[in-house]
Protein backbone atom coordinates (compact mmCIF):
# COMPACT_ATOMS: atom_id res chain seq x y z
CA UNK A 1 0.00 0.00 0.00
CA UNK A 2 1.23 3.51 -0.82
CA UNK A 3 2.41 5.80 1.96
CA UNK A 4 0.51 8.95 2.82
CA UNK A 5 1.80 11.95 4.76
CA UNK A 6 -0.66 13.44 7.25
CA UNK A 7 -1.38 17.17 7.02
CA UNK A 8 0.24 17.84 10.40
CA UNK A 9 2.82 16.27 12.68
CA UNK A 10 0.53 14.72 15.27
CA UNK A 11 2.06 12.57 18.01
CA UNK A 12 1.42 8.85 17.33
CA UNK A 13 0.14 6.74 20.20
CA UNK A 14 1.73 3.52 21.43
CA UNK A 15 -0.01 0.42 22.66
CA UNK A 16 1.28 1.10 26.18
CA UNK A 17 -0.54 4.43 26.15
CA UNK A 18 -3.86 2.61 25.87
CA UNK A 19 -3.54 0.42 28.95
CA UNK A 20 -6.16 0.83 31.68
CA UNK A 21 -5.32 2.51 34.97
CA UNK A 22 -2.46 4.84 35.71
CA UNK A 23 -2.35 8.55 36.43
CA UNK A 24 -5.55 10.14 35.09
CA UNK A 25 -4.87 13.71 36.24
CA UNK A 26 -4.12 15.18 32.84
CA UNK A 27 -4.71 18.73 34.08
CA UNK A 28 -1.84 18.50 36.57
CA UNK A 29 0.46 16.86 34.02
CA UNK A 30 -0.26 19.62 31.50
CA UNK A 31 0.26 22.29 34.16
CA UNK A 32 3.75 20.92 34.83
CA UNK A 33 4.49 20.75 31.12
CA UNK A 34 3.32 24.32 30.49
CA UNK A 35 4.74 25.75 33.71
CA UNK A 36 1.42 27.24 34.86
CA UNK A 37 -0.45 26.85 38.18
CA UNK A 38 -3.39 24.84 36.85
CA UNK A 39 -4.88 23.51 33.62
CA UNK A 40 -8.57 22.83 33.17
CA UNK A 41 -9.27 19.88 30.83
CA UNK A 42 -12.32 20.11 28.56
CA UNK A 43 -13.68 17.90 25.78
CA UNK A 44 -12.33 20.10 22.94
CA UNK A 45 -10.57 23.36 22.27
CA UNK A 46 -13.95 24.76 21.21
CA UNK A 47 -15.49 23.67 24.50
CA UNK A 48 -12.62 25.34 26.36
CA UNK A 49 -13.38 28.58 24.50
CA UNK A 50 -17.09 28.25 25.32
CA UNK A 51 -16.21 27.83 28.99
CA UNK A 52 -13.85 30.83 28.91
CA UNK A 53 -16.42 33.11 27.24
CA UNK A 54 -19.16 31.94 29.60
CA UNK A 55 -16.92 32.75 32.57
CA UNK A 56 -16.08 36.21 31.28
CA UNK A 57 -19.73 36.98 30.57
CA UNK A 58 -20.57 36.32 34.23
CA UNK A 59 -17.89 38.84 35.23
CA UNK A 60 -18.94 41.48 32.68
CA UNK A 61 -22.57 40.90 31.65
CA UNK A 62 -22.77 44.28 29.90
CA UNK A 63 -20.08 43.32 27.35
CA UNK A 64 -21.11 41.17 24.39
CA UNK A 65 -18.56 41.50 21.57
CA UNK A 66 -15.64 39.19 20.81
CA UNK A 67 -12.94 40.27 18.36
CA UNK A 68 -11.29 37.50 16.34
CA UNK A 69 -9.07 37.35 13.23
CA UNK A 70 -11.07 37.34 10.01
CA UNK A 71 -9.03 34.29 8.94
CA UNK A 72 -9.50 31.69 11.64
CA UNK A 73 -11.24 28.40 12.33
CA UNK A 74 -15.04 28.55 11.90
CA UNK A 75 -15.35 26.77 15.25
CA UNK A 76 -14.30 30.03 16.90
CA UNK A 77 -17.28 31.81 15.34
CA UNK A 78 -19.54 28.93 16.39
CA UNK A 79 -18.34 29.15 19.99
CA UNK A 80 -19.01 32.90 20.10
CA UNK A 81 -22.53 32.38 18.75
CA UNK A 82 -23.13 29.48 21.16
CA UNK A 83 -22.50 31.88 24.04
CA UNK A 84 -24.95 34.45 22.66
CA UNK A 85 -22.18 36.93 21.87
CA UNK A 86 -21.51 39.08 18.81
CA UNK A 87 -18.57 38.28 16.56
CA UNK A 88 -16.35 41.15 15.38
CA UNK A 89 -13.73 40.53 12.72
CA UNK A 90 -10.30 42.13 12.58
CA UNK A 91 -8.09 42.17 9.51
CA UNK A 92 -4.56 40.75 9.56
CA UNK A 93 -1.35 42.68 9.19
CA UNK A 94 0.15 42.49 5.67
CA UNK A 95 1.64 39.05 5.09
CA UNK A 96 1.39 38.03 8.75
CA UNK A 97 -0.89 36.25 11.20
CA UNK A 98 -0.79 39.25 13.56
CA UNK A 99 -3.96 41.25 14.07
CA UNK A 100 -3.81 44.60 12.30
CA UNK A 101 -3.45 46.98 15.26
CA UNK A 102 -4.81 49.94 13.32
CA UNK A 103 -7.96 47.90 12.62
CA UNK A 104 -8.11 46.47 16.13
CA UNK A 105 -7.96 49.78 17.98
CA UNK A 106 -11.42 51.08 16.93
CA UNK A 107 -12.93 47.61 17.38
CA UNK A 108 -12.06 47.66 21.10
CA UNK A 109 -14.67 49.55 23.07
CA UNK A 110 -17.05 49.45 26.00
CA UNK A 111 -18.89 46.42 24.55
CA UNK A 112 -15.78 44.36 23.91
CA UNK A 113 -15.63 41.29 26.11
CA UNK A 114 -12.52 39.63 24.69
CA UNK A 115 -9.96 39.72 21.88
CA UNK A 116 -8.54 36.47 20.49
CA UNK A 117 -5.07 36.63 18.88
CA UNK A 118 -4.45 33.27 17.22
CA UNK A 119 -1.22 31.23 17.07
CA UNK A 120 -2.21 29.50 13.84
CA UNK A 121 -0.18 26.40 12.90
CA UNK A 122 2.02 26.89 15.95
CA UNK A 123 3.31 30.28 14.77
CA UNK A 124 3.53 32.68 17.72
CA UNK A 125 1.80 36.00 17.02
CA UNK A 126 1.97 39.42 18.63
CA UNK A 127 0.01 39.41 21.87
CA UNK A 128 1.70 42.20 23.84
CA UNK A 129 0.30 44.98 21.65
CA UNK A 130 -3.07 43.26 21.56
CA UNK A 131 -3.12 43.18 25.36
CA UNK A 132 -2.39 46.91 25.51
CA UNK A 133 -5.31 47.80 23.25
CA UNK A 134 -7.74 45.33 24.84
CA UNK A 135 -6.95 46.30 28.41
CA UNK A 136 -7.24 49.99 27.60
CA UNK A 137 -10.84 49.20 26.64
CA UNK A 138 -11.42 47.05 29.73
CA UNK A 139 -11.53 43.82 27.71
CA UNK A 140 -9.83 40.49 28.33
CA UNK A 141 -7.41 38.67 26.01
CA UNK A 142 -7.92 34.97 25.24
CA UNK A 143 -5.05 33.49 23.27
CA UNK A 144 -6.21 30.92 20.73
CA UNK A 145 -3.35 28.47 21.04
CA UNK A 146 -5.34 25.52 19.70
CA UNK A 147 -2.46 24.53 17.41
CA UNK A 148 0.38 25.71 19.64
CA UNK A 149 0.65 23.41 22.66
CA UNK A 150 4.26 23.72 23.77
CA UNK A 151 4.98 27.06 22.07
CA UNK A 152 6.80 29.56 24.28
CA UNK A 153 7.67 33.24 24.49
CA UNK A 154 10.78 34.14 26.48
CA UNK A 155 10.61 30.75 28.19
CA UNK A 156 6.95 30.98 29.25
CA UNK A 157 4.09 29.13 27.61
CA UNK A 158 2.05 31.07 25.10
CA UNK A 159 -0.99 32.36 26.93
CA UNK A 160 0.74 32.62 30.31
CA UNK A 161 0.93 36.42 30.09
CA UNK A 162 -2.62 36.95 28.84
CA UNK A 163 -5.86 36.56 30.79
CA UNK A 164 -6.80 33.18 29.32
CA UNK A 165 -5.59 30.75 26.69
CA UNK A 166 -6.88 27.49 25.31
CA UNK A 167 -5.22 24.58 23.52
CA UNK A 168 -6.67 21.79 21.40
CA UNK A 169 -5.96 18.13 22.02
CA UNK A 170 -7.66 17.08 18.79
CA UNK A 171 -6.21 14.87 16.09
CA UNK A 172 -3.19 16.46 14.42
CA UNK A 173 -2.52 19.09 17.09
CA UNK A 174 0.41 17.24 18.70
CA UNK A 175 -0.82 15.57 21.88
CA UNK A 176 -4.28 14.14 21.25
CA UNK A 177 -7.21 12.51 23.04
CA UNK A 178 -8.86 12.36 19.60
CA UNK A 179 -10.86 15.34 20.88
CA UNK A 180 -9.88 17.36 23.92
CA UNK A 181 -9.02 20.81 25.12
CA UNK A 182 -7.06 22.60 27.81
CA UNK A 183 -7.76 25.99 29.37
CA UNK A 184 -5.42 28.17 31.43
CA UNK A 185 -6.29 31.34 33.33
CA UNK A 186 -3.99 34.03 34.66
CA UNK A 187 -5.39 34.67 38.12
CA UNK A 188 -7.42 32.88 40.80
CA UNK A 189 -10.60 34.85 40.09
CA UNK A 190 -10.60 33.80 36.44
CA UNK A 191 -9.73 30.21 37.32
CA UNK A 192 -12.64 30.06 39.75
CA UNK A 193 -15.00 31.60 37.19
CA UNK A 194 -13.91 29.04 34.57
CA UNK A 195 -14.46 26.14 36.96
CA UNK A 196 -17.95 27.40 37.79
CA UNK A 197 -18.72 27.95 34.10
CA UNK A 198 -17.65 24.40 33.26
CA UNK A 199 -19.74 22.90 36.05
CA UNK A 200 -22.80 24.81 34.92
CA UNK A 201 -22.49 24.22 31.16
CA UNK A 202 -20.65 20.92 30.62
CA UNK A 203 -22.65 17.81 31.59
CA UNK A 204 -21.55 14.20 31.91
CA UNK A 205 -22.60 12.40 28.75
CA UNK A 206 -21.58 8.76 28.68
CA UNK A 207 -22.44 8.29 25.01
CA UNK A 208 -20.07 11.04 23.90
CA UNK A 209 -17.24 9.76 26.07
CA UNK A 210 -17.70 6.21 24.75
CA UNK A 211 -17.70 7.56 21.20
CA UNK A 212 -14.53 9.56 21.74
CA UNK A 213 -12.86 6.56 23.38
CA UNK A 214 -13.67 4.39 20.35
CA UNK A 215 -12.39 7.11 18.03
CA UNK A 216 -9.18 7.35 20.02
CA UNK A 217 -8.65 3.62 19.60
CA UNK A 218 -9.23 4.03 15.87
CA UNK A 219 -6.67 6.83 15.76
CA UNK A 220 -4.12 4.66 17.55
CA UNK A 221 -4.70 1.88 15.02
CA UNK A 222 -4.85 3.90 11.81
CA UNK A 223 -2.52 6.86 12.35
CA UNK A 224 0.44 5.36 10.52
CA UNK A 225 1.77 5.77 6.95
CA UNK A 226 0.42 2.44 5.67
CA UNK A 227 -3.19 3.06 6.74
CA UNK A 228 -3.45 6.82 6.26
CA UNK A 229 -4.35 6.43 2.53
CA UNK A 230 -7.53 4.70 3.68
CA UNK A 231 -8.27 6.71 6.83
CA UNK A 232 -7.33 10.18 5.57
CA UNK A 233 -6.28 10.20 1.92
CA UNK A 234 -9.32 8.54 0.35
CA UNK A 235 -11.91 10.87 1.98
CA UNK A 236 -9.73 13.87 1.07
CA UNK A 237 -9.52 12.87 -2.58
CA UNK A 238 -13.26 12.15 -2.78
CA UNK A 239 -13.99 15.64 -1.45
CA UNK A 240 -11.60 17.23 -3.94
CA UNK A 241 -13.09 15.21 -6.81
CA UNK A 242 -16.55 16.62 -6.10
CA UNK A 243 -15.17 20.15 -5.72
CA UNK A 244 -15.81 20.30 -1.97
CA UNK A 245 -12.85 22.26 -0.67
CA UNK A 246 -14.54 22.93 2.66
CA UNK A 247 -14.87 19.19 3.24
CA UNK A 248 -11.35 18.52 1.99
CA UNK A 249 -9.91 21.05 4.45
CA UNK A 250 -11.98 19.67 7.33
CA UNK A 251 -13.93 22.92 7.71
CA UNK A 252 -17.37 21.23 7.55
CA UNK A 253 -18.34 21.24 11.22
CA UNK A 254 -21.57 20.06 12.80
CA UNK A 255 -23.75 23.02 13.87
CA UNK A 256 -23.86 21.70 17.44
CA UNK A 257 -20.84 21.88 19.74
CA UNK A 258 -20.52 18.69 21.82
CA UNK A 259 -20.07 19.45 25.52
CA UNK A 260 -19.24 16.63 27.92
CA UNK A 261 -16.74 15.56 30.56
CA UNK A 262 -13.49 13.82 29.62
CA UNK A 263 -13.24 10.38 31.21
CA UNK A 264 -10.39 8.95 33.27
CA UNK A 265 -9.17 6.50 30.63
CA UNK A 266 -8.64 9.12 27.92
CA UNK A 267 -6.96 11.43 30.43
CA UNK A 268 -4.61 8.59 31.42
CA UNK A 269 -3.78 8.00 27.74
CA UNK A 270 -2.95 11.70 27.50
CA UNK A 271 -0.70 11.63 30.57
CA UNK A 272 1.33 8.72 29.20
CA UNK A 273 1.66 10.25 25.71
CA UNK A 274 2.56 13.66 27.16
CA UNK A 275 5.82 12.22 28.50
CA UNK A 276 7.02 11.87 24.87
CA UNK A 277 5.77 15.25 23.65
CA UNK A 278 8.87 17.37 24.48
CA UNK A 279 11.13 15.12 22.39
CA UNK A 280 8.54 15.02 19.61
CA UNK A 281 8.35 18.83 19.51
CA UNK A 282 12.14 19.17 19.55
CA UNK A 283 12.45 16.79 16.60
CA UNK A 284 9.76 18.74 14.74
CA UNK A 285 11.61 21.99 15.36
CA UNK A 286 14.86 20.57 13.99
CA UNK A 287 13.07 19.15 10.95
CA UNK A 288 11.31 22.47 10.37
CA UNK A 289 14.58 24.41 10.53
CA UNK A 290 15.99 22.42 7.62
CA UNK A 291 12.78 22.59 5.61
CA UNK A 292 12.27 26.31 6.21
CA UNK A 293 15.82 26.96 5.00
CA UNK A 294 15.05 25.03 1.81
CA UNK A 295 11.78 26.90 1.24
CA UNK A 296 13.45 30.27 1.80
CA UNK A 297 15.65 29.49 -1.18
CA UNK A 298 12.63 29.60 -3.52
CA UNK A 299 12.48 33.12 -4.91
CA UNK A 300 9.08 34.76 -4.45
CA UNK A 301 7.96 32.42 -1.69
CA UNK A 302 7.38 33.72 1.86
CA UNK A 303 7.65 31.32 4.79
CA UNK A 304 5.50 32.25 7.79
CA UNK A 305 7.55 32.35 10.99
CA UNK A 306 6.98 33.60 14.52
CA UNK A 307 6.02 37.27 14.74
CA UNK A 308 8.89 39.71 15.04
CA UNK A 309 6.76 41.49 17.66
CA UNK A 310 6.83 38.34 19.84
CA UNK A 311 10.44 38.65 20.94
CA UNK A 312 12.00 35.42 22.15
CA UNK A 313 9.24 33.28 20.63
CA UNK A 314 9.72 29.59 19.98
CA UNK A 315 6.68 28.20 18.21
CA UNK A 316 5.74 24.63 17.49
CA UNK A 317 5.91 23.21 13.98
CA UNK A 318 3.02 20.81 13.26
CA UNK A 319 2.93 22.24 9.75
CA UNK A 320 4.72 24.84 7.64
CA UNK A 321 2.85 27.79 6.18
CA UNK A 322 3.99 29.55 3.03
CA UNK A 323 2.57 32.47 1.07
CA UNK A 324 2.79 32.37 -2.70
CA UNK A 325 3.05 35.72 -4.51
CA UNK A 326 -0.52 35.65 -5.86
CA UNK A 327 -3.64 33.52 -5.94
CA UNK A 328 -2.93 32.02 -9.36
CA UNK A 329 0.40 30.62 -8.17
CA UNK A 330 -1.25 29.16 -5.06
CA UNK A 331 -3.97 27.55 -7.19
CA UNK A 332 -1.39 26.01 -9.50
CA UNK A 333 0.46 24.54 -6.54
CA UNK A 334 -2.74 23.22 -4.97
CA UNK A 335 -3.83 21.61 -8.24
CA UNK A 336 -0.60 19.64 -8.32
CA UNK A 337 -0.17 18.86 -4.63
CA UNK A 338 -3.47 18.78 -2.72
CA UNK A 339 -4.52 15.16 -2.62
CA UNK A 340 -1.14 13.87 -3.83
CA UNK A 341 -0.40 12.14 -0.52
CA UNK A 342 2.23 14.70 0.50
CA UNK A 343 0.36 16.45 3.32
CA UNK A 344 -0.18 19.70 1.39
CA UNK A 345 -3.38 21.71 1.74
CA UNK A 346 -4.74 24.91 3.26
CA UNK A 347 -5.31 25.80 6.93
CA UNK A 348 -8.84 27.13 6.21
CA UNK A 349 -10.54 27.66 2.88
CA UNK A 350 -11.96 31.17 3.39
CA UNK A 351 -12.11 34.17 5.65
CA UNK A 352 -15.13 33.77 7.92
CA UNK A 353 -17.62 35.90 5.94
CA UNK A 354 -16.97 33.90 2.75
CA UNK A 355 -18.19 30.53 4.06
CA UNK A 356 -21.77 30.00 2.93
CA UNK A 357 -22.59 27.76 5.87
CA UNK A 358 -21.13 30.13 8.48
CA UNK A 359 -22.03 33.51 7.00
CA UNK A 360 -25.01 33.83 9.37
CA UNK A 361 -22.56 33.96 12.29
CA UNK A 362 -21.02 37.16 10.91
CA UNK A 363 -22.73 40.52 11.29
CA UNK A 364 -23.86 42.45 8.21
CA UNK A 365 -21.32 45.10 9.16
CA UNK A 366 -18.45 42.63 9.07
CA UNK A 367 -19.75 40.91 5.93
CA UNK A 368 -19.51 44.28 4.21
CA UNK A 369 -15.98 44.93 5.49
CA UNK A 370 -13.21 44.65 2.94
CA UNK A 371 -10.73 42.68 5.10
CA UNK A 372 -8.18 42.98 2.27
CA UNK A 373 -5.17 41.48 4.04
CA UNK A 374 -7.04 38.48 5.43
CA UNK A 375 -8.68 37.79 2.07
CA UNK A 376 -5.33 38.05 0.32
CA UNK A 377 -3.81 35.71 2.91
CA UNK A 378 -6.61 33.17 2.39
CA UNK A 379 -5.98 33.04 -1.36
CA UNK A 380 -2.18 32.85 -1.16
CA UNK A 381 -1.47 30.58 1.83
CA UNK A 382 -0.54 26.92 1.56
CA UNK A 383 0.23 24.45 4.35
CA UNK A 384 2.88 21.74 4.19
CA UNK A 385 3.06 18.85 6.61
CA UNK A 386 6.01 18.75 8.98
CA UNK A 387 5.44 15.09 9.76
CA UNK A 388 8.47 12.77 9.76
CA UNK A 389 6.38 10.59 7.44
CA UNK A 390 6.86 13.16 4.68
CA UNK A 391 10.20 11.93 3.39
CA UNK A 392 12.93 13.98 1.71
CA UNK A 393 11.90 12.91 -1.78
CA UNK A 394 8.33 13.99 -1.14
CA UNK A 395 9.43 17.32 0.29
CA UNK A 396 11.69 17.97 -2.71
CA UNK A 397 8.73 17.25 -4.99
CA UNK A 398 6.78 19.92 -3.09
CA UNK A 399 9.62 22.43 -3.39
CA UNK A 400 9.99 21.82 -7.12
CA UNK A 401 6.25 22.29 -7.64
CA UNK A 402 6.26 25.53 -5.60
CA UNK A 403 9.22 26.87 -7.56
CA UNK A 404 7.44 26.13 -10.83
CA UNK A 405 4.21 27.74 -9.59
CA UNK A 406 6.05 30.91 -8.54
CA UNK A 407 7.89 31.15 -11.87
CA UNK A 408 4.73 30.80 -13.96
Amino acid sequence: MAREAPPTAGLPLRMADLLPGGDADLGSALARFLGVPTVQVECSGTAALVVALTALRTLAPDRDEVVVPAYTCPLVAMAVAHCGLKLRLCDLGPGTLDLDLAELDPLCGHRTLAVLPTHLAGRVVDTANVRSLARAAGAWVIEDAAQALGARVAGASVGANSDLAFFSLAVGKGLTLFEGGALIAADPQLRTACLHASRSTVPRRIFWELRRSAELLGYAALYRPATLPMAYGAPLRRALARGDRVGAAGDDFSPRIPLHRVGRWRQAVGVRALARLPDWLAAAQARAAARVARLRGIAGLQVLEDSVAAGGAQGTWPTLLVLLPHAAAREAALAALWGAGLGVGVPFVHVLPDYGRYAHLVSAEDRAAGLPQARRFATQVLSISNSPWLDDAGFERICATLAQAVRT
Side-chain angles (χ1 to χ4, degrees), residues 95-96 300-304 321-325 376-377 380-382:
T96 77
L301 194 71
Q302 178 187 345
V303 184
L304 272 292
L321 296 183
V322 297
L323 288 177
L324 283 90
R376 186 175 295 113
F377 190 98
Q380 294 176 210
V381 68
L382 183 141

Side-chain angles (χ1 to χ4, degrees), residues 16-274:
D17 297 333
L18 308 176
L19 296 175
D23 180 6
D25 188 356
L26 180 58
S28 293
L30 283 168
R32 292 190 294 271
F33 170 70
L34 295 173
V36 296
T38 63
V39 171
Q40 187 170 316
V41 175
E42 299 292 344
C43 65
S44 67
T46 311
L49 177 56
V50 166
V51 168
L53 292 173
T54 301
L56 294 183
R57 193 72 190 278
T58 64
L59 299 175
D62 57 329
R63 293 176 176 263
D64 64 354
E65 293 185 352
V66 180
V67 182
V68 309
Y71 186 74
T72 194
C73 181
L75 285 170
V76 171
M78 292 170 59
V80 172
H82 177 93
C83 296
L85 299 167
K86 180 182 178 182
L87 191 73
R88 298 306 313 273
L89 303 183
C90 184
D91 205 1
L92 302 178
T96 77
L97 291 165
D98 291 336
L99 292 173
D100 185 322
L101 298 177
E103 296 282 337
L104 178 61
D105 191 12
L107 286 171
C108 294
H110 68 280
R111 294 182 59 187
T112 307
L113 180 70
V115 182
L116 271 70
T118 301
H119 306 293
L120 182 64
R123 303 282 44 79
V124 179
V125 298
D126 174 21
T127 58
N129 289 311
V130 172
R131 282 193 295 270
S132 296
L133 292 177
R135 289 172 178 170
W140 285 278
V141 172
I142 305 173
E143 292 189 29
D144 179 349
Q147 301 176 6
L149 181 68
R152 298 187 176 273
V153 179
S157 170
V158 291
N161 293 316
S162 291
D163 302 296
L164 295 144
F166 67 93
F167 305 87
S168 174
L169 306 179
V171 170
K173 301 297 197 303
L175 179 70
T176 186
L177 311 181
F178 191 85
E179 277 287 0
L183 178 63
I184 64 174
D187 62 58
Q189 181 190 24
L190 284 175
R191 289 195 286 271
T192 299
C194 288
L195 283 171
H196 288 165
S198 183
R199 289 167 184 163
S200 65
T201 60
V202 181
R204 296 187 182 277
R205 288 179 170 153
I206 298 301
F207 167 78
W208 271 107
E209 185 55 24
L210 289 174
R211 173 176 169 172
R212 294 303 190 218
S213 297
E215 289 168 333
L216 183 59
L217 288 171
Y219 170 83
L222 298 176
Y223 187 66
R224 57 193 71 245
T227 49
L228 275 172
M230 172 184 65
Y232 166 71
L236 166 66
R237 286 181 274 277
R238 285 196 297 268
L240 290 173
R242 61 178 181 265
D244 179 11
R245 285 194 167 190
V246 172
D251 292 352
D252 50 344
F253 301 107
S254 168
R256 298 184 63 184
I257 299 173
L259 296 173
H260 60 97
R261 302 287 179 193
V262 179
R264 290 184 57 82
W265 176 71
R266 284 203 299 142
Q267 291 202 47
V269 171
V271 170
R272 285 187 281 264
L274 180 59

